[in-house]
Amino acid sequence: MSIEVHDIVWKIGKKTIIDGISFEAPKGKMLGLLGPNGSGKTSLLRLIAGLKRPHSGKVTLDAQDIGTIGRRSVARRMAFVEQHATTNANLRVVDVVKLGRFPHRSIFSGWTPADEEAVEDALDRAGILEKRNDRWQSLSGGEKQRAHIARALAQSPSELILDEPTNHLDIQHQIGLMRLVSGLPITSIIALHDLNHAAMFCDRLIVLQKGRIVACGAPHEVLTEHLLKEVFSVEARVESSAYHARPHIQYLR
């Protein structure tokens, strides 16, 4: 396992946000993180990415505590796309994506053909190759999100962490993004709101409630009518068949 979480606890003041969470992310697979607002998804992702330190427990990369690994070394292998990522400067799209190559370059190194190839491939995969020379402030919200994803892909990561990356995207690009991430030969952990997207694309799911794991397993094991009612407070029918093992959720009135 490349990413392992060992009994981590994280608090704000006296309030416990993440409460004794442990799991392993299957190497080369997509792990979906689900839960209602306030369940701790974003905090957990930031802990996994090493942007926060747990009050107890640890996150390990290949059995090494991420807190003992330098930020540059972590960034060479792990990319994190935040939910509300921003870029203030009015750069060209290609220049934003080039930022993803910084962990792989020294202060004295020049731009290499390998850097250029990584950036062009990332732009193409994220579906914004034709926007490469557009200015940042001219982009729509969805285009900005895809540019941030391209920047993450330009890091050539072994692990990819995404916090609700389909927000602000139309349905075509939501599906395209999920197909893209699920098809990458890397370990990915992705927080999602859309339960059907989680069922369609994720290999395994974790459901959080009040900072604790309440369900973990394959989509057909986790997404039950009982769980949807108890955790998400929705009435739904979960459908599957012998020909299509992944569940489909039909919401009821």
Side-chain angles (χ1 to χ4, degrees), residues 92-94 123 127-135 138-140 143 146:
R92 294 182 304 160
V93 170
V94 67
L123 286 164
I128 53 169
L129 193 57
E130 75 284 358
K131 297 284 184 178
R132 67 186 319 281
N133 291 315
D134 288 11
R135 291 289 172 177
S138 73
L139 300 181
S140 68
E143 289 167 343
R146 283 188 281 153

Side-chain angles (χ1 to χ4, degrees), residues 79-81 152-153 157-162 181 184 186-189:
F80 181 35
V81 179
L153 294 178
S158 301
E159 292 87 16
L160 181 60
I161 313 297
L162 304 104
V181 177
L184 294 172
I186 62 178
T187 304
S188 58
I189 303 176

Side-chain angles (χ1 to χ4, degrees), residues 168-181:
H168 313 300
L169 300 183
D170 59 36
I171 186 64
Q172 175 190 359
H173 291 119
Q174 288 180 30
I175 297 297
L177 172 63
M178 293 302 296
R179 284 177 177 158
L180 164 64
V181 177

Side-chain angles (χ1 to χ4, degrees), residues 176-242:
L177 172 63
M178 293 302 296
R179 284 177 177 158
L180 164 64
V181 177
S182 66
L184 294 172
I186 62 178
T187 304
S188 58
I189 303 176
I190 178 169
L192 293 167
H193 263 311
D194 193 306
L195 303 181
N196 277 313
H197 285 175
M200 289 170 62
F201 295 104
C202 295
D203 298 290
R204 292 184 66 79
L205 299 175
I206 286 175
V207 180
L208 295 182
Q209 187 176 35
K210 297 180 180 178
R212 296 183 178 182
I213 294 177
V214 295
C216 180
H220 71 275
E221 298 170 328
V222 169
L223 295 175
T224 65
E225 293 172 8
H226 175 75
L227 179 132
L228 296 179
K229 184 174 183 179
E230 292 298 313
V231 175
F232 296 96
S233 301
V234 295
E235 297 282 350
R237 180 180 297 116
V238 179
E239 301 173 342
S240 60
S241 71

Side-chain angles (χ1 to χ4, degrees), residues 24-252:
E24 299 175 346
K27 193 168 186 177
K29 302 293 184 180
M30 180 189 283
L31 174 64
L33 195 61
L34 304 174
N37 289 338
S39 60
K41 299 188 298 296
T42 295
S43 296
L44 178 57
L45 291 181
R46 292 179 67 81
L47 287 161
I48 293 169
L51 301 179
K52 296 181 183 292
R53 295 293 303 273
H55 289 88
S56 63
K58 62 182 178 180
V59 176
T60 61
L61 280 176
D62 294 335
Q64 185 176 357
D65 187 339
I66 196 171
T68 68
I69 306 173
R71 288 302 311 156
R72 190 180 183 88
S73 295
V74 172
R76 288 193 186 104
R77 61 173 293 175
M78 181 187 290
F80 181 35
V81 179
E82 299 190 67
Q83 183 177 353
H84 301 294
T86 59
T87 297
N88 293 323
N90 194 21
L91 301 172
R92 294 182 304 160
V93 170
V94 67
D95 294 322
V96 172
V97 178
K98 283 181 177 181
L99 296 174
R101 297 304 298 165
F102 280 11
H104 299 278
R105 304 170 62 237
S106 73
I107 192 171
F108 300 109
S109 65
W111 192 253
T112 68
D115 292 324
E116 190 67 26
E117 182 179 358
V119 167
E120 292 301 311
D121 182 62
L123 286 164
D124 187 36
R125 286 187 172 191
I128 53 169
L129 193 57
E130 75 284 358
K131 297 284 184 178
R132 67 186 319 281
N133 291 315
D134 288 11
R135 291 289 172 177
W136 182 258
Q137 301 300 340
S138 73
L139 300 181
S140 68
E143 289 167 343
K144 289 178 179 178
Q145 182 73 327
R146 283 188 281 153
H148 281 300
I149 291 164
R151 174 190 51 76
L153 294 178
Q155 286 180 234
S156 303
S158 301
E159 292 87 16
L160 181 60
I161 313 297
L162 304 104
D163 189 4
E164 298 184 10
T166 56
N167 279 5
H168 313 300
L169 300 183
D170 59 36
I171 186 64
Q172 175 190 359
H173 291 119
Q174 288 180 30
I175 297 297
L177 172 63
M178 293 302 296
R179 284 177 177 158
L180 164 64
V181 177
S182 66
L184 294 172
I186 62 178
T187 304
S188 58
I189 303 176
I190 178 169
L192 293 167
H193 263 311
D194 193 306
L195 303 181
N196 277 313
H197 285 175
M200 289 170 62
F201 295 104
C202 295
D203 298 290
R204 292 184 66 79
L205 299 175
I206 286 175
V207 180
L208 295 182
Q209 187 176 35
K210 297 180 180 178
R212 296 183 178 182
I213 294 177
V214 295
C216 180
H220 71 275
E221 298 170 328
V222 169
L223 295 175
T224 65
E225 293 172 8
H226 175 75
L227 179 132
L228 296 179
K229 184 174 183 179
E230 292 298 313
V231 175
F232 296 96
S233 301
V234 295
E235 297 282 350
R237 180 180 297 116
V238 179
E239 301 173 342
S240 60
S241 71
Y243 302 100
H244 187 67
R246 292 183 177 269
H248 174 75
I249 299 166
Q250 180 181 354
Y251 297 102
L252 306 176

